[in-house]
Every structure is written in C-alpha cells, then in structure tokens.
C-alpha cells in the first residue's frame, strides 16, 4: 500500500512538472523565445503559450518596453585640443526579440560601448565652443549613427541625450571672465543707449518748446499787426472826416489838429525823466476853446456816422505833472 501511494505521488509530481514545462504565461511587455533542441523556432507573445514537452523550452526572456541605459563618463579631446568630460543617457526599445536575443550578446553593454565610441568621434570633430553650445546637434548626430548601427540587432534607439559636459578648470575660469566682460559690455551699451534716448527726448522737448514759442510770437505779432491795422483804419477815417470838415471850411477841424499836437507835445514833456517841474502856460483860453471845438466836431461826426463804425475819440489832454490847468477865463 505504501509503494502504491509513493508511485502515485511520483506520477502526480511528474504530471505537475510536465504541465508547468508545457504551459507558459508571458507577462505584458515581455516576449519569450522558444528553442527546440537549442534552435530558435518561434516567439511567445504576452498571454498563455504551449510548448512541446521534452522537446521545446524557453530560450530568452526579452523586455519589449523602452529602456534607459547610462553612458559612462569619459574624457574626450575636442578639435581645438580641449579636454572635456562627457556622459549621457540613451533610450532604446527592442522591436525584434529574436534578433536582439541571438545576434548580439549582452545587448545593454554593446549599446553602451557603441554610444561611447561614437560620442568620442562626434565631440572630437567639434571645437569646445561648439560642443558647449550645440548639444542638440550632438544628440541628433549620435541618434542617427547609433540607430543605424543597432538596426540589425532589432533595437530602436529613440533618444540620446548629453547629460553633462564638464570642461577643465582653467577653461571654466576663462569662460567666467569672458561672461563677466560680456555682461559689463552689455551694461555699458545699455547705459549709453539710455543716455542717447534721454538726450533725444530733451532735444525733442526743446524743439517743441521752441516751436510753441515761435507760434506764440507769430500769433502775438499777428494780433499786434491786426491791432495796428485797425488803429490805422480808425485814424484814417478820423483824418478823412477832419479833412472833409476842413474842405467845407470848418474851423473846428483845424483846431482839432492843433489841439491834438499841443496835447501830445505837452504829454511828452510831462513824461520826460529829465523834467521835474512843468510850467503850464497862462493862456489856456485858446486851448479850452479848441477843446470845445473838438467836442462840436465829434458830435457832428457821431450824427453823420451813427449807422457806421463809432467815431474815434480825440485824446484827452493829460494833467501836467507838478502843475494844474487854470479855469477858463
């Protein structure tokens, strides 16, 4: 009874082992290669797969997801003999599991070495300034070369990025001094531009002020001329009226001119800064009579030109400084 139990247990164990070796479950993102007597025959996709017992087995378990590989740091000599330390990262994805499994041994190491050699080639063909300023160009050239090299392995290189570029210490110090000098130069240029703009603004302001002043003087001159023109017109009309009165034999018109000149001369005498005492003539009866004649003439002119412009008022004689006009005799 014990022998039968042991035999049954052994048979059950063999059945379980055979079942496990025949049925394979492939997880998502993976692929298994199947070998028959050591030779590749097929690839198992994600899901459940069946193998021939004692004949087939799983060869390689391939990761079909995108992978990130580190490119070790290395020292590279540029075209202008500058030593820089460069490292990077590469993003790869297996597209054909059979070729990736059987055409290259240790795929991550092979791609890492390929990236290092091509990185030395690309960086070595460029000058230091180009290496530091054209990372995108380096990434593009590396991607093109390495993707073409890994295509027979069934691997797609999606991206290559330069992670770090470290120039020597003396070059770093020189770059710092250069950057400082460049910033100082820009500051001087900016300050000069500001001073230039301020000078232009001041000049524009002075120009506008001069223009406004000239416009003001022009307007004032125009108004002065207009006032003088109107005054001349009024004087001309007054002269014409007086001339007509003289032509008619009116003595008052003559008295008007005499009185006007008399008053103007007396006013100038009173305004003179050299004159402190003004002597008023005693014979003022003629002047008063003249003024009365002027009044009659003005009244006549008002009657004649009531519908036209108002007559010009004759100048009123000023009271001499330091004296008084005596009453009429």
């Amino acid at each position: 009874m014990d022998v039968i139990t042991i035999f049954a247990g052994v048979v059950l164990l063999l059945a379980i082992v055979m079942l496990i070796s025949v049925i394979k479950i492939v997880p998502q993102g993976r692929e298994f290669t199947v070998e028959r007597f050591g030779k590749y025959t097929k690839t198992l996709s994600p899901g459940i797969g069946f193998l021939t017992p004692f004949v087939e087995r799983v060869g390689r378990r391939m990761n079909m997801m995108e992978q990130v590989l580190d490119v070790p740091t290395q020292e590279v000599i540029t075209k202008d003999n500058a030593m820089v330390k460069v490292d990077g990262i590469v993003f790869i994805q297996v597209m054909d599991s059979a070729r990736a499994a059987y055409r290259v041994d240790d795929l991550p190491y092979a791609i890492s070495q390929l990236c290092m050699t091509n990185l030395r080639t690309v960086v070595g063909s460029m000058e230091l300034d180009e290496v530091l300023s054209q990372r995108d160009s380096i990434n593009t050239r590396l991607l093109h070369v390495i993707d073409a090299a890994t295509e027979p392995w069934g691997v797609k290189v999606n991206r290559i990025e330069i992670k770090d570029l470290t120039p020597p210490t003396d070059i770093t110090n020189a770059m710092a001094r250069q950057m400082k000098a460049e910033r100082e130069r820009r500051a001087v240029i900016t300050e000069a531009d500001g001073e230039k703009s301020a000078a232009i603004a001041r000049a524009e302001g002075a120009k506008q002020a001069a223009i406004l002043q000239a416009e003001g003087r022009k307007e004032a001159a125009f108004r002065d001329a207009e006032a003088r023109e109107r005054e001349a017109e009024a004087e001309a009309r007054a002269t014409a009226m007086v001339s007509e009165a003289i032509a008619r034999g009116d003595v008052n018109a003559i008295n008007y001119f005499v009185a006007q000149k008399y008053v103007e001369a007396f006013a100038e005498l009173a305004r003179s800064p050299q004159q402190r005492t003004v002597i008023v003539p005693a014979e003022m009866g003629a002047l008063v009579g003249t003024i009365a004649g002027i009044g009659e003439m003005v009244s006549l002119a008002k009657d004649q030109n009531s519908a036209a412009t108002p007559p010009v008022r004759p100048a009123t004689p000023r009271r001499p400084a330091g004296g008084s006009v005596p009453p009429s005799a």
Side-chain angles (χ1 to χ4, degrees):
M1 184 65 180
D2 292 336
V3 175
I4 296 174
T5 303
I6 294 173
F7 179 76
V10 171
V11 171
L12 181 61
L13 181 62
L14 290 176
I16 293 173
V17 170
M18 183 178 297
L19 185 63
I20 293 174
S21 63
V22 170
I23 300 175
K24 296 296 180 182
I25 298 176
V26 182
Q28 184 67 35
R30 306 277 178 168
E31 285 188 358
F32 294 170
T33 61
V34 177
E35 298 176 356
R36 179 176 295 172
F37 300 113
K39 180 181 179 180
Y40 169 77
T41 56
K42 62 181 179 179
T43 301
L44 295 180
S45 300
I48 187 170
F50 299 93
L51 302 179
T52 304
F54 306 110
V55 176
E56 295 178 338
R57 68 181 183 88
V58 174
R60 304 288 179 88
R61 291 172 170 82
M62 303 302 298
N63 186 356
M64 305 301 293
M65 295 180 289
E66 188 172 7
Q67 305 174 55
V68 182
L69 303 180
D70 235 356
V71 179
T73 302
Q74 58 180 330
E75 293 184 347
V76 181
I77 300 176
T78 61
K79 186 177 181 180
D80 52 352
N81 297 323
M83 185 75 69
V84 292
K85 293 182 179 180
V86 186
D87 62 353
I89 52 176
V90 56
F91 298 82
I92 65 171
Q93 186 173 10
V94 177
M95 308 302 294
D96 190 330
S97 57
R99 288 191 295 174
Y102 300 108
R103 289 197 177 186
V104 60
D105 188 20
D106 198 350
L107 180 64
Y109 178 77
I111 293 178
S112 176
Q113 295 300 312
L114 186 62
C115 290
M116 292 177 64
T117 56
N118 282 278
L119 187 60
R120 284 195 296 267
T121 301
V122 173
V123 174
S125 64
M126 304 173 67
E127 295 184 355
L128 179 61
D129 291 340
E130 296 176 345
V131 172
L132 297 177
S133 61
Q134 299 182 9
R135 290 195 180 190
D136 292 339
S137 176
I138 297 175
N139 295 337
T140 303
R141 292 173 61 181
L142 285 174
L143 179 62
H144 177 73
V145 173
I146 297 175
D147 188 42
T150 57
E151 195 274 335
W153 300 343
V155 177
K156 174 67 176 177
V157 179
N158 295 325
R159 291 184 304 279
I160 296 180
E161 299 289 342
I162 299 298
K163 188 166 60 175
D164 193 15
L165 284 170
T166 307
T169 305
D170 55 345
I171 295 179
T172 304
N173 295 333
M175 291 171 60
R177 292 194 301 271
Q178 180 182 4
M179 180 182 65
K180 181 180 178 181
E182 179 66 19
R183 293 186 180 276
E184 291 178 352
R185 182 183 70 84
R186 292 181 182 179
V188 171
I189 292 175
T190 303
E191 184 178 359
D193 289 340
E195 293 177 354
K196 176 182 176 182
S197 300
I200 292 174
R202 287 193 295 267
E204 287 290 338
K207 176 183 175 182
Q208 293 296 328
I211 291 174
L212 293 176
Q213 291 176 0
E215 290 289 340
R217 290 194 298 270
K218 176 181 176 182
E219 182 68 20
F222 176 76
R223 293 186 179 275
D224 290 343
E226 185 178 4
R228 289 193 299 270
E229 180 181 358
R230 293 183 179 180
E231 184 179 359
E233 291 177 356
E235 185 68 23
R237 287 196 298 269
T239 304
M241 292 174 58
V242 173
S243 299
E244 291 177 359
I246 293 174
R248 292 194 303 270
D250 193 347
V251 180
N252 292 329
I254 300 175
N255 293 336
Y256 167 74
F257 278 109
V258 173
Q260 184 181 13
K261 297 299 181 181
Y262 185 86
V263 172
E264 290 178 356
F266 197 76
E268 292 295 331
L269 179 63
R271 283 196 298 266
S272 175
Q274 305 293 333
Q275 189 71 22
R276 295 184 178 180
T277 304
V278 179
I279 300 173
V280 180
E283 296 178 358
M284 297 300 295
L287 178 61
V288 173
T290 301
I291 294 174
I294 292 172
E296 294 178 1
M297 185 182 64
V298 169
S299 299
L300 179 61
K302 285 183 178 181
D303 294 338
Q304 292 177 355
N305 299 300
S306 58
T309 56
V312 180
R313 298 179 61 186
T316 304
R318 298 182 180 179
R319 183 184 298 273
S324 60
V325 179
S328 59

